[in-house]
């Protein structure tokens, strides 16, 4: 059988001369020199100590650059430098040692490059992580038992009066959707439009399935029941760690520790883990937008029951598709913004101060006068949330949703 290093080598250039290292002047020449040393050690020095040391120098310097100022202002060249540092770290880890722990460290290095870096060498980090994933043992019997223990415990499902219910329609034509809902900006639940997704039929998403395809992958996790809480924060965990901490063991929290407080919500998940991206499809109704397919932002929302997205609005059209579990959703028109009390802070101007299901009527007396629609989204449903419409979402049970933001 081929060794791990021979598999890693197969996706790298054949020799040092074909290994690209070109950067703009914004990258310090001293850093380029260290990268050049990494390249030389990769092809000419069989020892890993020097490569590991120089790779860490590159990572430390570029990490400081990535964490200075706002993300939008970071020079993409430094993100590329960081990805090269991750690549060289993977090479140093795997050239001599192929233990399970080493493979996990290498996968984490790839994930950090995919999350924080920029694509290099025809997306070589993605190719490497596919190789490394195959080196890990499949889900253990103990993990499988844990997966079976997770029940879709459901909070009481709200009774939706007919006059407040979001309308439903079964597979409308493009023209019907455009004329009756898109142009007048009216919310609607589209039924039977995602039934063909592999995530719902060929290999339905479940805890066991997520462990098998992404368990060892490092992803950003939101910690806190809602992003407006003072205790809300973000951290990096593997998918397995997230499942064990916030879903499997959520009822075993120590005194004082908040339960149901972890949420995997990010737009990079499907690019980072293509196996999950292959399980979904872009809704055909997105073709009615003005942008290109590459302009559509696809988001993953995975977490336990009780997780809340506070009442907020988004600057684009939104399809929210429910794959696992159910969610309660309430929608308000942008015409009633003055009754919804947006935060005065520029950072949270698109978020209401009101706790929707337990409003403070003294502080927010006009809120009760704002008309709204509501629904319970079930697996297979997809709701259209028009641009700027305020929406509040609460997971009634363990839930996995996918949203598509488009213009």
């Amino acid at each position: 059988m081929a060794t791990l290093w021979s598999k890693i080598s197969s996706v790298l250039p054949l020799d040092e001369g074909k290994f690209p290292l070109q950067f703009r002047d914004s990258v310090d020449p001293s850093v380029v020199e260290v990268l050049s040393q990494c390249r030389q050690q990769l092809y000419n020095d069989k020892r890993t100590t020097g490569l590991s040391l120089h790779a860490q120098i590159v990572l430390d310097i570029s990490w400081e650059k990535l964490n200075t100022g706002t993300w939008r202002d970071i020079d993409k060249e430094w993100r590329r430098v960081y990805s090269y540092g991750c690549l060289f770290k993977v090479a140093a880890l795997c050239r001599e040692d192929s233990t399970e722990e080493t493979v996990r460290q290498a996968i984490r290095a790839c994930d950090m490059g995919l999350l924080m870096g920029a694509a290099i060498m025809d997306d070589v980090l993605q190719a490497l992580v596919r190789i490394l994933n195959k080196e890990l043992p499949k889900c253990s019997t103990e993990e499988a038992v844990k997966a079976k223990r997770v029940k879709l415990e459901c909070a009481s499902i709200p009774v939706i009066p007919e006059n407040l219910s979001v309308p439903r329609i079964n597979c409308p034509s493009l023209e019907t959707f455009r004329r009756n809902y898109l142009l007048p900006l009216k919310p609607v639940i589209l039924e039977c439009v995602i039934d063909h997704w592999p995530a719902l039929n060929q290999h339905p998403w479940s805890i066991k399935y997520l462990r098998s395809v992404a368990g060892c992958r490092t992803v950003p996790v939101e910690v806190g029941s809602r992003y407006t809480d003072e205790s809300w924060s973000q951290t990096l965990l593997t998918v397995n760690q997230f499942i064990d901490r916030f879903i499997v063991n959520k009822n075993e929290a120590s005194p004082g520790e908040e339960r149901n407080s972890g949420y995997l919500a990010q737009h990079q998940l499907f690019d980072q883990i293509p196996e999950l991206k292959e399980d979904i499809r872009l809704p055909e109704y997105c073709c009615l937008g003005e942008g290109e397919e590459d302009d559509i932002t696809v988001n993953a929302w995975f977490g336990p029951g009780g997780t809340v997205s506070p009442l907020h609005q988004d600057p684009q059209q939104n399809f929210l598709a429910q794959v696992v579990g159910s969610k309660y959703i309430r929608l308000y028109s942008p015409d009633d913004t003055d009754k919804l009390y947006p935060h005065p802070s520029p950072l949270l101007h698109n978020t209401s101060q009101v706790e929707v299901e337990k409003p403070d009527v003294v502080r927010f007396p006009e809120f009760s006068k704002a008309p709204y629609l509501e629904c319970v989204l079930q697996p297979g449903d997809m709701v259209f949330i028009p641009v700027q419409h305020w929406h509040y979402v609460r997971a009634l049970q363990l839930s996995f949703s996918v949203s598509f933001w488009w213009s």
Side-chain angles (χ1 to χ4, degrees), residues 153-326:
E153 297 178 1
C154 189
S156 58
I157 297 179
V159 177
I160 311 296
E162 188 173 346
N163 62 314
L164 298 180
S165 181
V166 177
R168 290 175 170 267
I169 186 171
N170 190 295
C171 289
S173 67
L174 291 174
E175 178 53 32
T176 296
F177 173 76
R178 177 180 175 275
R179 181 180 64 252
N180 295 339
Y181 303 102
L182 179 59
L183 292 181
L185 298 177
K186 290 184 177 180
V188 65
I189 294 174
L190 306 174
E191 298 179 329
C192 302
V193 298
I194 64 170
D195 289 353
H196 61 292
W197 284 14
L200 285 163
N201 49 61
Q202 288 176 243
H203 28 74
W205 284 357
S206 64
I207 295 296
K208 183 177 180 181
Y209 179 71
L210 290 174
R211 285 192 190 276
S212 69
V213 301
C216 62
R217 305 300 299 277
T218 297
V219 294
V221 172
E222 297 182 2
V223 181
S225 292
R226 62 195 77 197
Y227 64 78
T228 50
D229 291 348
E230 289 186 8
S231 60
W232 182 89
S233 63
Q234 289 181 304
T235 189
L236 291 171
L237 298 172
T238 66
V239 171
N240 276 337
Q241 289 171 333
F242 168 75
I243 291 171
D244 289 339
R245 178 176 173 184
F246 295 112
I247 297 177
V248 174
N249 298 320
K250 68 176 182 178
N251 294 322
E252 299 173 13
S254 58
E257 181 180 353
E258 185 178 3
R259 298 181 181 182
N260 300 343
S261 59
Y263 204 48
L264 197 166
Q266 60 140 326
H267 69 270
Q268 289 179 289
L269 185 71
F270 296 111
D271 291 330
Q272 185 186 351
I273 306 173
E275 294 90 341
L276 292 178
K277 190 174 185 178
E278 292 168 3
D279 288 344
I280 64 173
R281 303 288 184 266
L282 286 178
E284 63 174 357
Y285 304 99
C286 290
C287 73
L288 298 171
E290 297 176 352
E292 301 295 327
E293 184 173 308
D294 290 343
D295 299 327
I296 299 170
T297 301
V298 186
N299 303 280
W301 311 94
F302 175 46
T307 309
V308 167
S309 291
L311 185 62
H312 68 285
Q313 57 180 184
D314 298 315
Q316 291 182 289
Q317 314 283 12
N318 182 6
F319 285 126
L320 179 62
Q322 192 66 15
V323 181
V324 176
S326 57

Side-chain angles (χ1 to χ4, degrees), residues 332-407:
Y332 291 84
S333 167
D335 295 338
D336 295 301
T337 296
D338 59 334
K339 299 183 182 71
L340 305 182
Y341 301 91
H343 277 271
S345 160
L347 188 63
L348 292 173
H349 71 279
N350 70 327
T351 303
S352 170
Q353 301 175 68
V354 183
E355 189 171 343
V356 169
E357 295 187 84
K358 296 179 180 178
D360 185 332
V361 295
V362 176
R363 288 183 62 198
F364 312 115
E366 296 297 308
F367 179 72
S368 61
K369 300 176 184 177
Y372 61 85
L373 295 175
E374 57 186 348
C375 66
V376 173
L377 209 63
Q378 302 283 6
D381 289 342
M382 184 172 77
V383 62
F384 170 57
I385 303 175
V387 60
Q388 296 293 336
H389 267 62
W390 294 83
H391 48 289
Y392 164 87
V393 184
R394 174 168 59 90
L396 299 174
Q397 55 192 161
L398 174 68
S399 170
F400 205 137
S401 312
V402 180
S403 66
F404 303 86
W405 292 346
W406 55 289
S407 298

